[in-house]
Amino acid sequence: MSQSGTLILIMSIAVLAPLLAYGIGRRLPVPLVIFEIVLGILVGPDVLGWAGEGEVIDTLSDLGLAMLIFLAGYEIEFDKVRGDTLKRSVGAWLIALAAGLTLGMLLTGASKGVYIGTALTSTALGAVLPVLRDAGDLRSRFGSVMMAMGAVGEFGPIIAITLLLSGRAPGRSTVLLAAFALLTAGAVFWALRPRRPWFSHVIDKTLHSSGQFAVRLVVLLLAVMLGVSGALGLDTLLGAFAAGLITRLVLHGAAPQSAGEILAKVEAMGFGFLVPVFYVVTGIEFDLDALLSGGRALLLLPVFLLLFLLVRGLPVYALAPRDLQGRDRRALTLFASTALPLVVAITTIGVDDKVLGTEEAAALVGAAMLSVLVFPLVGLRLRGEKVESEGAESW
């Protein structure tokens, strides 16, 4: 199939997926991303063989991943992600990194273990936040703690990719990372400077016109940070995450009254087009044959799923703030153990570098897909039971 035909097929899936999620969600709340990936697998080369490949599709998929990480960075509220909660989040991730690298190397060897161990420490903040938002739980105390744990679970692996998986000497990678940090700090300083009145006036004046100054500025910030990270030889996901942080500071500082509406427009562009392309293409490129051949990949899938829970979840459970107890603590563990976007990115790097085989990559991505399907559902159930019990006690 031509690239234009494949794009039509992908967007058809993007339209069908929320309809299926809505219909089935009345009985069983399944995350939208699962339908997008599964339908991508269905039309991919291992099943129906309808979807083709091409540079345009790959570029749109890469932009979708960048937009997903950008929106995850934007969602972080600095007034909530700080202090003791932030320290606990960093500590939990560092423990997970040490455990992940150790277990990954023991399981698959030193070279593969670095990729697998890094992937095991990630949290799919971009997939978890919409679930919490739809459940009305994003602005709660639980939501703020999950945001802190998830932010470190997104940012930490990106840093690890830069230091461990770049193929450069650690010293050189550290220097480049420090250079990027200085440039990002300069951008943050610029973002925090008071904006002149004309700036917010132009935002308000063009918000509902064809000018769309604020939306274009957001896209420019994303492009600049992607370009800076790429020029330094760093992973572009680092630039996307930093762009999200900077954009939030700019918009909430210059036009706080319009920030929510601007975000809605950017989310419409992201979740309405680019992000679904990324997830559907993930399904299309998924090596289903390697997973279902009955060999090592199928045996590794449940092992990796368990490791997501042990490596990432247990440190989160142990270091969660003391005011989260019982079901909240267990729900936090499950949400933090949910992984997918960075797992796809890391396995792609590993396969391209000819370090990871397609079997390990398929098993790891398959386990991440199951984590997105299973862990948030169980976590929501635990949160729901807690809310219901609290409501009963109040009567």
Side-chain angles (χ1 to χ4, degrees):
M1 181 179 289
S2 66
Q3 291 192 63
S4 59
T6 299
L7 183 58
I8 292 173
L9 184 61
I10 290 172
M11 295 317 300
S12 298
I13 291 174
V15 172
L16 178 60
L19 295 177
L20 292 174
Y22 173 76
I24 296 176
R26 289 180 292 182
R27 295 181 177 84
L28 181 66
V30 179
L32 174 62
V33 58
I34 293 299
F35 292 100
E36 293 169 341
I37 293 176
V38 170
L39 290 174
I41 293 174
L42 181 64
V43 302
D46 290 341
V47 185
L48 297 176
W50 292 350
E53 298 180 357
E55 186 176 346
V56 173
I57 302 299
D58 290 341
T59 300
L60 289 175
S61 177
D62 291 341
L63 288 174
L65 176 58
M67 179 61 75
L68 186 66
I69 301 302
F70 168 85
L71 290 170
Y74 185 95
E75 287 283 3
I76 297 174
E77 299 181 28
F78 291 97
D79 57 335
K80 295 181 179 179
V81 184
R82 62 181 183 181
D84 181 66
T85 301
L86 181 59
K87 292 178 182 177
R88 289 174 177 271
S89 301
V90 173
W93 184 80
L94 290 175
I95 293 173
L97 180 63
L101 292 176
T102 300
L103 291 174
M105 291 178 182
L106 289 175
L107 187 65
T108 61
S111 57
K112 293 181 180 181
V114 176
Y115 291 85
I116 292 172
T118 303
L120 291 174
T121 69
S122 67
T123 295
L125 188 61
V128 168
L129 290 184
V131 173
L132 293 177
R133 186 190 299 113
D134 293 343
D137 216 3
L138 188 57
R139 306 303 174 190
S140 65
R141 168 61 176 162
F142 178 87
S144 64
V145 174
M146 182 58 233
M147 190 178 297
M149 293 289 183
V152 177
E154 289 267 22
F155 193 64
I158 292 173
I159 297 296
I161 290 172
T162 302
L163 293 176
L164 301 177
L165 308 182
S166 64
R168 292 185 298 264
R172 178 174 169 76
S173 294
T174 302
V175 170
L176 292 173
L177 189 61
F180 180 82
L182 287 174
L183 291 171
T184 302
V188 168
F189 176 77
W190 171 79
L192 292 174
R193 290 180 59 192
R195 304 264 82 82
R196 294 184 180 274
W198 68 264
F199 190 83
S200 57
H201 177 71
V202 172
I203 288 178
D204 293 335
K205 194 73 173 176
T206 62
L207 194 57
H208 301 286
S209 72
S210 60
Q212 296 292 327
F213 170 75
V215 176
R216 297 182 187 198
L217 178 63
V218 169
V219 175
L220 174 61
L221 288 173
L222 175 58
V224 167
M225 296 310 294
L226 290 176
V228 169
S229 58
L232 291 174
L234 305 175
D235 196 282
T236 54
L237 298 184
L238 183 62
F241 196 86
L245 300 175
I246 294 167
T247 299
R248 183 181 185 89
L249 294 174
V250 172
L251 294 183
H252 283 260
Q257 72 283 354
S258 303
E261 191 171 355
I262 296 167
L263 175 62
K265 291 175 179 288
V266 176
E267 283 184 330
M269 177 173 56
F271 292 123
F273 175 41
L274 293 173
V275 174
V277 171
F278 163 69
Y279 281 127
V280 175
V281 171
T282 296
I284 292 172
E285 296 179 347
F286 184 74
D287 193 346
L288 188 63
D289 281 347
L291 186 62
L292 299 183
S293 61
R296 185 164 173 264
L298 195 58
L299 295 175
L300 282 175
L301 190 148
V303 173
F304 285 144
L305 183 63
L306 179 61
L307 286 178
F308 279 124
L309 198 57
L310 296 178
V311 170
R312 181 70 181 123
L314 281 185
V316 169
Y317 183 88
L319 294 181
R322 295 186 182 89
D323 58 320
L324 293 187
Q325 296 294 331
R327 290 191 179 94
D328 277 351
R329 210 175 187 93
R330 294 194 290 274
L332 183 70
T333 299
L334 289 164
F335 278 117
S337 302
T338 304
L340 186 59
L342 288 179
V343 173
V344 174
I346 291 170
T347 54
T348 299
I349 294 171
V351 172
D352 290 344
D353 291 344
K354 302 188 185 318
V355 176
L356 281 184
T358 56
E359 287 188 348
E360 292 96 350
L364 200 51
V365 173
M369 289 166 56
L370 284 178
S371 78
V372 172
L373 176 62
V374 176
F375 293 163
L377 290 180
V378 180
L380 283 177
R381 181 66 61 87
L382 290 173
R383 285 289 295 161
E385 290 175 358
K386 182 177 186 298
V387 171
E388 288 174 5
S389 66
E390 288 176 348
E393 291 174 2
S394 67
W395 284 96

